């Protein structure tokens, strides 16, 4: 069922709150940001905040949805494992790490030691869902299937048919393993202040991810994916 469109007042309130949080994250750690800080910066009252979000972490997941979607879309889980002519896939990891580097302050705030476990779990679930759909495109993915754009990007949070929001994410250990490997590499890179270029990171990690994905059965789903070994 398509999500009902927001009325203009709700859209303005959410936009103001999300913008305020993104600005504050650039100034201090997420753990140091309160609801009062956000509402003061956004120019709204606390009751308006709680009409839309349960707490700061809930707002953080929503406020960074666009950036999260870019990360998910850039991750290997969202990239077809073979080119249209059946050749091996292009390495998407340099683009992934370039995206992370571009938004490094935001990702450090959300995924670092003083970040939000709830936001990390939310992002991991979104990446797992995308990996599941990429690995098993012919399988029924339930209500989420209709909401996934053709480019594989995960739709915004707070949609009625979003499996992360509804708790209906698929049980796919292989997809979860790949998503965890990608996100873990991102978190570790940020923790060490992003050493090496995105191209160097991509070249170093791509053979490992190819082997993991092939062992998990990606090559059995679509022709042309190089076998591990």
């Amino acid at each position: 069922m398509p999500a009902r469109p927001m009325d203009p007042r709700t859209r303005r309130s959410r936009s103001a709150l999300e913008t305020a949080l993104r600005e504050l994250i650039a100034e201090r750690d997420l753990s140091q940001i309160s609801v009062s800080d956000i509402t003061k910066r956004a120019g709204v009252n606390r009751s308006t905040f709680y009409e839309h979000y349960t707490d700061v972490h809930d707002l953080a997941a929503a406020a960074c949805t666009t950036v999260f979607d870019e990360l998910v879309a850039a991750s290997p889980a969202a990239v077809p494992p073979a080119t249209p002519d059946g050749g091996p896939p292009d390495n998407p990891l340099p683009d992934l790490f370039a995206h992370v580097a571009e938004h490094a302050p935001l990702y450090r705030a959300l995924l670092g030691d003083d970040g939000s476990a709830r936001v990390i779990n939310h992002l991991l679930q979104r990446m797992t869902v995308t990996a599941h759909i990429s690995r098993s495109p012919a399988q029924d993915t339930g209500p989420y299937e209709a909401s996934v754009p053709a480019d594989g990007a995960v739709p915004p949070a707070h949609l009625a048919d979003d499996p992360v929001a509804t708790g209906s994410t698929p049980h796919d250990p292989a997809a979860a393993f790949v998503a965890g490997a990608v996100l873990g590499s991102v978190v570790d890179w940020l923790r060490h202040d992003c050493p090496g270029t995105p191209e160097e990171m991509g070249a170093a990690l791509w053979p490992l991810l190819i082997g993991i994905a092939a062992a998990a059965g990606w090559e059995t789903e679509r022709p042309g994916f190089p076998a591990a070994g």
Side-chain angles (χ1 to χ4, degrees):
M1 178 183 299
R4 288 176 296 181
M6 294 183 193
D7 63 73
R9 182 177 178 181
T10 295
R11 189 180 298 110
R12 286 194 299 270
S13 296
R14 286 192 172 181
S15 177
L17 289 165
E18 292 173 5
T19 298
L21 179 64
R22 285 193 292 267
E23 291 176 355
L24 288 166
I25 283 176
E27 301 170 5
R28 68 189 84 158
D29 292 336
L30 184 67
S31 61
Q32 298 176 338
I33 299 173
S34 68
V35 171
S36 295
D37 293 331
I38 295 166
T39 55
K40 182 178 180 180
R41 178 69 64 94
V44 303
N45 56 45
R46 290 176 66 90
S47 62
T48 299
F49 179 95
Y50 288 113
E51 285 176 8
H52 305 294
Y53 307 103
T54 58
D55 54 24
V56 173
H57 299 276
D58 186 35
L59 171 60
C64 301
T65 291
T66 300
V67 179
F68 285 178
D69 287 344
E70 292 174 1
L71 176 64
V72 172
S75 72
V79 175
T83 59
D85 62 0
D90 294 330
N91 182 354
L93 287 174
D95 288 341
L96 169 68
F97 284 98
H99 165 82
V100 172
E102 180 182 356
H103 301 282
L106 173 64
Y107 281 123
R108 283 197 187 96
L110 296 177
L111 307 181
D113 294 339
D114 294 320
S116 168
R118 193 185 311 172
V119 170
I120 293 171
N121 185 60
H122 176 84
L123 180 54
L124 184 59
Q125 285 183 295
R126 292 164 77 83
M127 295 174 73
T128 299
V129 169
T130 305
H132 170 77
I133 294 171
S134 176
R135 191 170 84 92
S136 307
Q139 295 181 9
D140 179 16
T141 57
Y144 185 72
E145 184 174 32
S147 69
V148 179
D151 62 3
V154 180
H158 299 291
L159 293 184
D161 56 356
D162 185 339
V164 174
T166 62
S168 59
T169 51
H171 176 62
D172 187 339
F177 190 83
V178 170
V182 173
L183 186 58
S185 297
V186 166
V187 171
D188 183 72
W189 195 53
L190 288 166
R191 183 176 292 119
H192 291 88
D193 294 327
C194 303
T197 66
E199 290 73 21
E200 290 169 343
M201 289 296 296
L205 295 178
W206 183 235
L208 301 177
L209 197 61
I210 284 282
I212 291 171
W218 261 255
E219 81 282 8
T220 66
E221 306 293 347
R222 299 182 185 179
F225 196 86

